[in-house]
Amino acid sequence: MALYTISMIKAIIFDCFGVLTSSAWKEFWSSLPTTTIQDRARELNRAYDGGLITEEEFFGQLHELTKRPISEIRKILFDKDPVKNTELINYIRTLRPQYKTAILSNIATTWIEDYLLSDEEKELFDDMIISFQVGLTKPDPNIFKLTVKRLRVKPSECVFIDDIDHYCAAARAVGMQAIVYEDFKQMKRELEQILHKKK
């Protein structure tokens, strides 16, 4: 008979865009023609998400960078509502109350709380660490340290789930376990392997 170790994991932390929802930014960023432009666009997005530049500055600088009309960029990023990952949200219900759960997202507004999640779904999360509210963005190690402090756990007691590989690498660098999200089935399989390790 297989024996299982008692999981040392106490908290599971989820990214929003690309994990809990589809990601218009990721699609837009992937369409940019060169890595130089992609890198600069990523810097602008982090600055916007961290509250360091205004929405007007963000779109103005993206326009200068990409030569695309601001109206076109806004339409790509804002006019298409992200698709909620209801399969994942339903799964999160099964993780409660055994594990603490949180959202850690680079975002420049309160959209997650105001529009994405119902009141019942908000109750599924012990905390939401929103970049512009805390003045930090992934992959800054300090945002991961702040997250574990607010959850009152150690980094080694956390699993972080994000669709961006280098954000997961940053989480591992502060002592967390991390899963790069590809799809729900892959994420669930890898998470349950962590939570239920065989001796």
Side-chain angles (χ1 to χ4, degrees):
M1 177 184 292
L3 298 176
Y4 295 85
T5 59
I6 297 173
S7 174
M8 297 301 293
I9 299 302
K10 294 182 179 178
I12 305 166
I13 304 160
F14 298 89
D15 173 44
C16 181
F17 298 99
V19 177
L20 290 172
T21 73
S22 57
S23 174
W25 169 257
K26 190 173 182 180
E27 293 176 18
F28 170 75
W29 179 86
S30 297
S31 74
L32 299 178
T34 69
T35 55
T36 300
I37 292 176
Q38 287 180 331
D39 289 346
R40 178 58 184 148
R42 184 186 284 124
E43 290 172 5
L44 289 172
N45 193 43
R46 285 182 193 151
Y48 177 48
D49 286 342
L52 302 178
I53 60 175
T54 66
E55 182 176 311
E56 183 179 356
E57 290 170 328
F58 173 62
F59 281 102
Q61 292 183 52
L62 275 182
H63 163 66
E64 292 177 11
L65 178 68
T66 65
K67 309 306 179 188
R68 297 182 184 180
I70 291 176
S71 59
E72 177 186 313
I73 299 170
R74 282 185 172 277
K75 185 173 183 179
I76 293 169
L77 296 182
F78 285 171
D79 286 4
K80 184 178 178 182
D81 289 335
V83 178
K84 187 187 298 187
N85 189 342
T86 54
E87 190 172 29
L88 176 54
I89 289 173
N90 288 335
Y91 177 63
I92 292 170
R93 288 189 178 92
T94 71
L95 298 172
R96 307 272 299 171
Q98 184 175 358
Y99 302 99
K100 292 183 177 182
T101 53
I103 294 173
L104 172 53
S105 181
N106 284 359
I107 184 173
T109 70
T110 56
W111 179 84
I112 295 171
E113 295 176 272
D114 295 343
Y115 299 104
L116 175 66
L117 300 176
S118 67
D119 288 342
E120 184 271 334
E121 289 165 348
K122 291 174 194 174
E123 294 298 318
L124 296 174
F125 300 97
D126 295 279
D127 205 348
M128 296 185 196
I129 297 83
I130 306 301
S131 61
F132 88 98
Q133 293 175 337
V134 300
L136 298 165
T137 57
K138 297 173 290 185
D140 187 330
N142 290 313
I143 200 168
F144 297 102
K145 293 174 183 177
L146 176 65
T147 300
V148 298
K149 182 178 180 181
R150 284 171 48 161
L151 290 172
R152 298 181 181 178
V153 294
K154 300 174 184 176
S156 60
E157 296 171 332
C158 298
V159 180
F160 174 64
I161 299 168
D162 199 300
D163 62 315
I164 305 297
D165 191 12
H166 63 274
Y167 291 172
C168 289
R172 293 187 191 104
V174 301
M176 296 180 180
Q177 296 193 58
I179 296 170
V180 180
Y181 187 96
E182 298 171 9
D183 57 53
F184 173 74
K185 288 183 179 179
Q186 162 266 338
M187 181 281 305
K188 181 182 177 185
R189 181 179 66 252
E190 292 189 28
L191 178 59
E192 293 191 351
Q193 286 173 350
I194 293 170
L195 299 180
H196 308 294
K197 288 183 178 178
K198 290 183 181 181
K199 277 187 176 180

